[in-house]
Amino acid sequence: MTKAEFTKLVENGPVILDGATGTNLQKAGMPVGVCPEQWILENSEVLIDLQKRYVEAGTDILFAPTFTASRIKLKEYGLEDHLEEMNRKLVALSKEAAKGTNALVAGDLTMTGEQLYPLGDLMFEDLVDVYKEQAKIIAEAGADLFVVETMMSLQECRAAVLAIREVCDLPVMVSLTYNEDGRTLFGTDACTAMVVLQSLGADAVGINCSTGPEQMAELVREMKEYANIPIIAKPNDGMPEVVDGETVYRMTPEEFAEEAKLLLEAGAGIVGGCCGTTPQHIRAFKEA
């Protein structure tokens, strides 16, 4: 996919992203503490079925389940030597789910879990190399574009965007998560993130996870004042509650859809769902 094609897609939008992956896989039996990517590859029919249902519900862009398949994260499970094979197969699963439709597949990158220097020992150039390694494999596997999501560090966002730009010309979406004070864990506000990342060449910037749709709308409005690229909004299914030790999301698909319309009114052009959302939530939003 070219940048021009991405721009046209958004202009003809709104563009509908998929909903949650992790919470739905857990409902389908994925245990806590396993390597998600390995579990997906061993239970590929679960992922393909979920993503097919997202496409049927109206999703335009599926997120390939390459979320934590970087060398650093896979090393935690002793799987770093399988990085190339796993990323290629994970992209192939999403392409299988999108087969015969117009849905696109975005290669998905996120935080590595290691702190950049001086807070940690990881040097910026080394992090770029880690992202480059994964991004090159994902691009060669046939992803249509990239998403860098659930980010808390603007520096790590920069590293990921630079890495992707060094290996391909595919469009890049970047999405950060914010606390109740409107700042990331590392103190960056949404407007600063928009200005920095769009100047770096990101094709869309926004917010995911964080809150429910209504609470996210205010941040979207703030970003709109500085944005000359599309804004992404991928909220949770409301704020979670812990019931008998289990995390529960209570918004119905209809309630989610009604609140998600506020994100479009606030200026978002690319909207989906994060934790707790299901294909039913995406369908309700699409219909709304």
Side-chain angles (χ1 to χ4, degrees):
M1 185 183 207
T2 65
K3 288 172 168 288
E5 289 169 337
F6 179 78
T7 299
K8 185 175 181 181
L9 178 69
V10 179
E11 287 175 349
N12 294 332
V15 174
I16 310 298
L17 303 173
D18 57 13
T21 299
T23 50
N24 286 296
L25 294 183
Q26 288 169 359
K27 286 180 185 177
M30 184 176 75
V32 175
V34 301
C35 173
E37 289 76 19
Q38 185 177 35
W39 189 90
I40 288 168
L41 291 173
E42 292 171 351
N43 301 271
S44 58
E45 70 286 349
V46 177
L47 186 281
I48 291 173
D49 175 68
L50 174 64
Q51 292 200 323
K52 280 185 174 180
R53 287 188 286 123
Y54 276 131
V55 173
E56 290 166 1
T59 290
D60 299 306
I61 301 176
L62 291 170
F63 287 11
T66 54
F67 187 61
T68 52
S70 67
R71 178 166 297 278
I72 290 175
K73 292 298 291 183
L74 290 178
K75 189 175 182 179
E76 296 176 12
Y77 305 96
L79 294 169
E80 65 271 26
D81 291 341
H82 299 278
L83 180 144
E84 180 169 359
E85 171 194 1
M86 292 179 74
N87 276 277
R88 287 186 181 278
K89 288 183 176 179
L90 291 165
V91 172
L93 294 181
S94 291
K95 289 178 72 67
E96 175 64 27
K99 189 175 180 180
T101 75
N102 292 324
L104 301 167
V105 173
D108 194 336
L109 307 182
T110 192
M111 305 269 290
T112 65
E114 289 197 7
Q115 299 279 13
L116 278 170
Y117 180 85
L119 296 177
D121 297 324
L122 184 62
M123 302 305 292
F124 185 82
E125 296 78 7
D126 294 331
L127 179 59
V128 172
D129 287 341
V130 167
Y131 282 133
K132 272 178 67 176
E133 179 182 38
Q134 188 184 8
K136 185 174 186 295
I137 296 164
I138 289 172
E140 290 174 350
D144 298 295
L145 69 163
F146 277 88
V147 60
V148 180
E149 63 147 330
T150 320
M151 301 297 282
M152 302 176 196
S153 162
L154 185 56
Q155 278 291 78
E156 292 194 39
C157 291
R158 290 181 61 244
V161 173
L162 289 170
I164 295 167
R165 285 283 168 260
E166 286 191 34
V167 300
C168 68
D169 294 323
L170 296 177
V172 182
M173 303 187 294
V174 186
S175 179
L176 295 90
T177 183
Y178 295 89
N179 298 322
E180 290 182 4
D181 63 358
R183 293 180 178 271
T184 69
L185 182 65
F186 290 86
T188 302
D189 65 89
C191 297
T192 298
M194 171 59 77
V195 171
V196 170
L197 292 169
Q198 69 184 4
S199 68
L200 199 62
D203 298 282
V205 171
I207 313 156
N208 78 289
C209 210
S210 305
T211 65
E214 184 175 11
Q215 298 91 335
M216 191 175 283
E218 179 56 35
L219 280 183
V220 172
R221 278 190 286 271
E222 291 177 12
M223 295 175 77
K224 184 67 176 174
E225 294 185 30
Y226 298 88
N228 54 36
I229 57 174
I231 298 174
I232 307 160
K234 207 172 194 274
N236 291 335
D237 186 32
M239 298 304 290
E241 301 175 26
V242 178
V243 180
D244 297 328
E246 182 180 349
T247 302
V248 177
Y249 293 87
R250 295 193 180 278
M251 288 185 77
T252 66
E254 292 71 27
E255 290 169 339
F256 177 84
E258 195 61 32
E259 284 197 13
K261 288 194 292 185
L262 299 174
L263 297 169
L264 298 178
E265 294 168 6
I270 305 172
V271 180
C274 208
C275 302
T277 57
T278 67
Q280 288 73 31
H281 290 78
I282 299 302
R283 184 183 300 279
F285 174 64
K286 177 77 171 182
E287 292 173 353

